[in-house]
Amino acid sequence: MREQVNFGKMLHGGDYNPEQWLDMPEILEKDIEYFKKAKINQVSMGIFSWAMLEPEEGKYQFEWMAEVIERLYKNGISVLLATPSGARPKWMADKYPEVLRVDETRHRNLFGGRHNHCYTSPVYREKVRQMNMELAKRFGNHPAVIGWHLSNEYGGECHCPLCQEEFRKWLKEKYGTIEKLNKAWATTFWSHVYNDFSQIESPSSRGENGVHGLNLDWKRFVTDRTVDFTRFEAQAVKDGGSDLPVMINMMYNFSGLNYHKFQDVVDIVTWDNYPCWHKYPEPETAMDTAMQHDIMRSIQKRPFLLMESCPSATNWQSVSKLKKPGMLKAASLQAVAHGSDSVQYFQLRQSRGSSEKFHGAVIDHYGKEDTRVFQEVTEVGEALEQLQEMTGSLTHAQVAVIYDWENRWAMEDAAGPRNENLFYKQAVEKSYWAFRKQGLDVDVIDMEQEIEGYQVVAAPMLYMFRAGFQEKAKQYVENGGKLILTYWSGIVDDTDLCFLGGTPHGLMDVFGLRSTEIDGLYEGESNQAIPVEGNSLNLTKTYSCEHLCDLVKTDGAEVLMTYGSDFYAGMPALTCNPYGQGEAYYVCADFEQGFYDEVYRKISSKAGVKRIVSHIPYGVEVTTRENEKARYLIVQNFNRNRTEVKLPTEEFQLWYGTYDGTIAGFDTVILRKEK
Ligand code: GLA
Ligand code: ZN
C-alpha cells in the first residue's frame, strides 16, 4: 500500500459531464458560479467521455476538457480525472468486435450500454493504454488534477475465448497439475474428471455449473482479472507521466468482486452509496449504510471517499423517493463519521436525455440555484468546511466482525442446510449492530486480515476456513482474545472440500465442542435459547431463533444457554470455553437481535472494551475519528424526532452542531477532545 492519501480538504463535489453541454457554453459558465455557491470544491470528470475524447480512431480531441479543467482551476476546484474505459465508442466495437463482452451462454454482446468490455482483449487493453497515457501526458500534472478515477464501477465477467485461455493459465498456475485440480474440485463426482487444463471452461448455465470448486475459482479469477485490469490502467497513467493517486469506485454489498483484493492496488478506497432512505425506518437504513461504510474503511483501515451519492432521488430504485429535509446532510455526515474524507454526488448537473435524465442532481433541469436540493447541498458544503480539520483522521476500532466475500460465494453455492436463504449478511449485521448499539467503532474485515489486537472478534457463519484462519483464531484466543464463532462454521476448505474429522475444523479444542448435526428450519418455525442457571454471563432472558440450529456436543465448554424445544431441547444453544488466556464463544443458532445485543454487551464489558457514551437511544449513532491533535465524537440522530442523549461534555467539548441534552431529528453533533 502506498502512503495514505490526504487531499488537505474534505472534498465536496461529484460526477460532472460538461461534454453533454458543449453546445451551450452559457451552461458551463453557470456551473462554475453555482459550484462556488454550493461550496463545491471538486469534480469527477471524463467518466464515459471516450467518444468525445477520441471521436475517430487515433484522433484525440482534448481541447474541450482542457478548457473546462482550466476554468475549474481558476476557480479553485479540483478534478479527479477519470479514464473512460467504462464505456467505449461505436467505432471501436465495430472495428474490433473482440472488445465486447461474451456472456456465460457464450454469446458476444452487441455494442451498447456500459461495463461491456472484455478485460483480456489485447486490442481493448491497447486502446485503454493509449488513451490513459494521452490523458496523463496532457492533464496528469495539471495543478487542478488531484487523482485518477479509474473507469467506473468495475463489474461483470467475460467468457470469450481469450478470457477462457487466461482462466486456464490461472488454474495451471494455481494447481500445477491437473490431478491436483481434480482432487481440489472433487471431479470424480458425476464423472467430471479433466484430463488436461485445455478442457476447462468457465461455468455456464448451459454446461458445467455444479462443480463448486470451479464456480469458486471462476469468481476468484474474475476478481483477479479485474485487479489485473486495474493495475494495467494505473500503469498506463503512470507511464504517461502522472504519479497521482489512483482509485476505483466500489459498490454496495457487491458480490461480483472481492474488493479486499484491491487493498494495495488503489491508493484510496472510494464507493458509491445509494441507500433507500425512507423505505424502512431511517435508523435501520442508517445501520445498514453504516456497515457498508465500515466495510469500505476497513479494507485499508484508513479514510475513504464517498465517491457518489444522490442529492435527492435516484431514478433506478423501485420508487424514486425524495429525501426529506435534513436527510441529505445526515446521510452525508454519516459517511464522514465512518471515515470518509469527502461527500460527492452523482451528479452535479442533471443530464437532458437518456436513461438518467430524471436522476437527482445538484442542478436540475430548471437550472437555477433556488431549489430545495441546491440549498441542502450548500449546507453540506458549509458543514464540510467546518469539519476540514478532521480530514485524514483515523478510526481505531476495539472490536471487529468478519464478513468474508469468498466465504459468501461458497456459501451461496453450498446446497446445504437451507437453500432458500442462509441469511449470511443478516448474521453479520446482527453482530455488527450489537457492537454499534454500544457506540463502538467496528472494523468489518475479511478472513485474510489480522485479528490480533482487537478485544473482541465476531465471526458469524464462517462456513469456509481459508487463509489459515483456524491457526490465526487459535493464536488469537490463546493470547487473550475473545472470539465469537457461530453455527455453520469451519465446514469446508478453500476449494469447498468438506473437512473430515469434525467441525468447526481445527478449532474443536478451542471451542470445547463438536458440531454433530445442523437443522434447517422452515420459514415460520422457531426454537428458543433458555439461560442455564448461574451461567457466567449472567444471562436471564429467553431468546428465539430461526433458520438454522446447530446441534453441538460439548467437550469442556460451559453451556450458557440451551434449546427450549424440539428433539434437541436441553442441548447447548450458547457455549463458552476458556482457552489459553482468552475465551471462545459458540453461538449455535440464528438468534433474534436482542440475544446478540445482550450477549455482545456482556462479552465486550468482560473484555474491557471502553465505551464513551453509556446509554445510546434507538436511532442514535456514535462514532469516533482521531488525529494527532484531537479525538472527535460524532453523534447522529437518525430518528425523525428530537431525542435525548447524555453525552460526555465534561471530557469532550461541543465542536459542531447544537446540543442541549437533546439532538434534533436527523441532526449531527460533534464533540472534540484536544489531545
Ligand atoms: C452508479 C454509476 C453512475 C450513475 C449512478 C446512478 O453509481 O457509477 O454512473 O449511473 O449509479 O445512481
Ligand atoms: Zn473476454
Side-chain angles (χ1 to χ4, degrees):
M1 258 197 305
R2 288 211 294 186
E3 250 172 58
Q4 183 184 329
V5 176
N6 189 331
F7 294 113
K9 60 183 177 189
M10 287 275 173
L11 301 184
H12 185 224
D15 283 26
Y16 181 45
N17 295 99
E19 71 273 24
Q20 295 173 8
W21 303 96
L22 295 180
D23 57 344
M24 297 176 83
E26 66 286 4
I27 292 268
L28 299 178
E29 287 289 338
K30 271 280 173 220
D31 283 341
I32 303 283
E33 186 190 321
Y34 290 152
F35 291 169
K36 287 167 79 176
K37 282 199 175 140
K39 313 273 178 201
I40 282 170
N41 59 25
Q42 172 273 343
V43 306
S44 310
M45 246 179 84
I47 308 168
F48 307 126
S49 299
W50 204 326
M52 294 299 285
L53 291 169
E54 192 182 359
E56 283 170 50
E57 188 167 15
K59 207 177 123 196
Y60 296 107
Q61 171 184 279
F62 286 0
E63 294 66 34
W64 64 270
M65 187 174 253
E67 255 172 56
V68 177
I69 292 180
E70 205 48 47
R71 191 173 319 131
L72 290 163
Y73 177 58
K74 283 202 189 106
N75 287 279
I77 299 169
S78 310
V79 176
L80 286 176
L81 199 57
T83 64
S85 66
R88 63 226 49 78
K90 180 82 165 101
W91 60 255
M92 196 191 297
D94 286 351
K95 184 161 178 199
Y96 310 103
E98 71 162 64
V99 304
L100 295 175
R101 231 168 239 190
V102 170
D103 68 18
E104 56 91 24
T105 65
R106 312 299 191 249
H107 291 106
R108 197 173 290 281
N109 290 348
L110 303 178
F111 171 76
R114 49 183 184 174
H115 314 300
N116 185 10
H117 63 271
C118 169
Y119 37 38
T120 300
S121 154
V123 174
Y124 195 55
R125 288 199 174 213
E126 185 50 30
K127 292 290 167 205
V128 167
R129 183 173 163 78
Q130 284 165 4
M131 171 55 74
N132 291 9
M133 281 180 67
E134 286 302 323
L135 282 171
K137 267 188 220 155
R138 188 73 194 255
F139 304 114
N141 293 299
H142 191 289
V145 179
I146 56 172
W148 291 100
H149 177 297
L150 298 180
S151 199
N152 193 65
E153 292 187 341
Y154 285 125
E157 48 195 56
C158 179
H159 297 256
C160 80
L162 296 166
C163 288
Q164 301 287 354
E165 209 36 56
E166 279 303 317
F167 182 42
R168 291 175 200 123
K169 254 202 254 163
W170 186 92
L171 290 169
K172 203 163 181 185
E173 217 159 276
K174 174 165 182 181
Y175 294 104
T177 67
I178 199 69
E179 291 73 27
K180 277 201 183 138
L181 174 141
N182 278 314
K183 203 165 171 207
W185 290 1
T187 53
T188 42
F189 182 80
W190 285 357
S191 228
H192 291 187
V193 179
Y194 296 98
N195 297 329
D196 193 83
F197 283 98
S198 64
Q199 297 173 326
I200 298 173
E201 281 208 33
S202 62
S204 167
S205 56
R206 295 170 55 217
E208 191 66 270
N209 55 51
V211 176
H212 291 176
L214 163 66
N215 295 348
L216 196 55
D217 274 337
W218 171 253
K219 290 198 160 95
R220 290 180 174 131
F221 166 77
V222 169
T223 289
D224 280 6
R225 266 289 80 189
T226 311
V227 162
D228 187 73
F229 193 78
T230 310
R231 284 193 199 280
F232 180 86
E233 285 222 42
Q235 190 58 48
V237 294
K238 204 168 245 164
D239 292 346
S242 175
D243 200 33
L244 292 171
V246 300
M247 58 208 79
I248 63 166
N249 47 342
M250 303 180 179
M251 293 176 271
Y252 171 90
N253 201 42
F254 181 62
S255 138
L257 294 171
N258 179 0
Y259 285 142
H260 287 273
K261 298 285 182 193
F262 291 82
Q263 187 198 56
D264 56 6
V265 182
V266 296
D267 294 309
I268 181 166
V269 167
T270 89
W271 83 286
D272 302 343
N273 177 29
Y274 294 99
C276 295
W277 290 111
H278 315 306
K279 182 171 181 182
Y280 310 101
E282 289 81 11
E284 280 178 31
T285 307
M287 204 61 110
D288 181 48
T289 308
M291 188 167 104
Q292 289 298 317
H293 284 312
D294 283 336
I295 290 172
M296 296 297 168
R297 178 183 52 73
S298 302
I299 294 175
Q300 295 181 324
K301 299 211 185 139
R302 58 192 199 189
F304 61 92
L305 298 182
L306 174 65
M307 185 59 82
E308 289 180 28
S309 61
C310 186
S312 58
T314 67
N315 72 330
W316 53 263
Q317 288 164 349
S318 58
V319 171
S320 304
K321 189 88 197 147
L322 293 180
K323 285 195 175 70
K324 297 188 191 300
M327 192 72 254
L328 178 68
K329 191 159 151 197
S332 301
L333 295 187
Q334 187 188 24
V336 174
H338 286 266
S340 178
D341 275 356
S342 78
V343 173
Q344 293 151 277
Y345 310 106
F346 181 88
Q347 48 193 337
L348 296 183
R349 185 180 276 276
Q350 195 167 35
S351 57
R352 273 194 89 179
S354 260
S355 62
E356 289 181 334
K357 60 183 181 296
F358 295 123
H359 193 288
V362 175
I363 306 162
D364 64 16
H365 297 144
Y366 162 62
K368 294 190 186 156
E369 64 189 275
D370 54 341
T371 63
R372 184 178 73 96
V373 170
F374 192 91
Q375 186 48 42
E376 295 208 19
V377 165
T378 309
E379 282 168 29
V380 173
E382 283 161 358
L384 292 176
E385 284 188 355
Q386 288 178 59
L387 306 184
Q388 200 85 317
E389 179 194 301
M390 283 171 71
T391 314
S393 57
L394 301 172
T395 306
H396 299 294
Q398 304 169 79
V399 299
V401 179
I402 299 178
Y403 186 29
D404 189 276
W405 250 235
E406 298 190 16
N407 178 51
R408 176 180 170 189
W409 292 338
M411 223 182 327
E412 279 167 2
D413 213 18
R418 273 182 64 96
N419 292 322
E420 274 183 12
N421 193 344
L422 287 165
F423 297 96
Y424 177 41
K425 179 168 179 259
Q426 287 80 353
V428 173
E429 277 164 2
K430 285 178 186 173
S431 290
Y432 176 82
W433 293 21
F435 285 134
R436 293 286 307 133
K437 285 180 178 181
Q438 303 176 58
L440 301 177
D441 294 310
V442 185
D443 282 351
V444 185
I445 57 177
D446 83 338
M447 256 186 270
E448 287 179 41
Q449 284 175 287
E450 189 51 69
I451 54 172
E452 207 58 61
Y454 294 111
Q455 269 142 297
V456 186
V457 173
M461 301 184 83
L462 285 195
Y463 162 73
M464 184 172 69
F465 277 176
R466 63 182 194 92
F469 180 76
Q470 54 276 41
E471 285 86 52
K472 217 154 56 175
K474 200 178 188 127
Q475 270 280 306
Y476 171 73
V477 182
E478 215 161 62
N479 295 342
K482 299 219 183 306
L483 178 65
I484 307 166
L485 191 71
T486 77
Y487 55 96
W488 203 228
S489 287
I491 312 288
V492 299
D493 70 9
D494 60 358
T495 62
D496 207 37
L497 282 184
C498 292
F499 288 121
L500 304 178
T503 66
H505 174 76
L507 292 178
M508 289 181 288
D509 56 338
V510 176
F511 285 87
L513 53 74
R514 179 173 81 79
S515 160
T516 61
E517 292 180 87
I518 187 159
D519 192 17
L521 276 57
Y522 287 108
E523 292 306 321
E525 272 194 290
S526 65
N527 204 316
Q528 313 78 40
I530 298 169
V532 170
E533 241 188 65
N535 69 79
S536 61
L537 281 184
N538 295 319
L539 300 166
T540 54
K541 281 193 211 142
T542 295
Y543 293 102
S544 73
C545 58
E546 50 184 353
H547 306 136
L548 290 170
C549 292
D550 201 340
L551 314 188
V552 306
K553 191 166 171 281
T554 53
D555 177 15
E558 178 199 347
V559 179
L560 299 147
M561 296 182 109
T562 55
Y563 284 118
S565 56
D566 215 321
F567 71 90
Y568 39 93
M571 282 179 75
L574 172 68
T575 65
C576 170
N577 195 44
Y579 184 85
Q581 311 284 308
E583 280 179 338
Y585 290 84
Y586 194 83
V587 176
C588 300
D590 186 352
F591 286 104
E592 60 183 303
Q593 185 66 48
F595 166 94
Y596 289 93
D597 294 349
E598 183 181 1
V599 169
Y600 281 38
R601 196 174 60 239
K602 292 185 166 166
I603 295 174
S604 305
S605 106
K606 248 182 129 179
V609 169
K610 288 184 207 66
R611 298 173 56 187
I612 307 183
V613 179
S614 53
H615 174 71
I616 299 168
Y618 174 77
V620 171
E621 272 219 356
V622 176
T623 41
T624 71
R625 286 181 72 164
E626 61 186 283
N627 53 30
E628 329 65 66
K629 273 207 217 141
R631 184 150 194 225
Y632 307 90
L633 176 67
I634 306 120
V635 188
Q636 297 198 278
N637 180 13
F638 285 100
N639 294 299
R640 295 186 183 186
N641 299 325
R642 188 171 277 284
T643 304
E644 218 173 291
V645 203
K646 169 112 188 56
L647 299 178
T649 41
E650 326 75 47
E651 200 189 339
F652 288 81
Q653 257 96 58
L654 180 64
W655 184 62
Y656 173 84
T658 331
Y659 172 69
D660 60 0
T662 67
I663 303 177
F666 295 162
D667 211 2
T668 303
V669 163
I670 305 180
L671 273 58
R672 182 182 185 279
K673 183 181 165 182
E674 187 82 21
K675 278 194 178 161

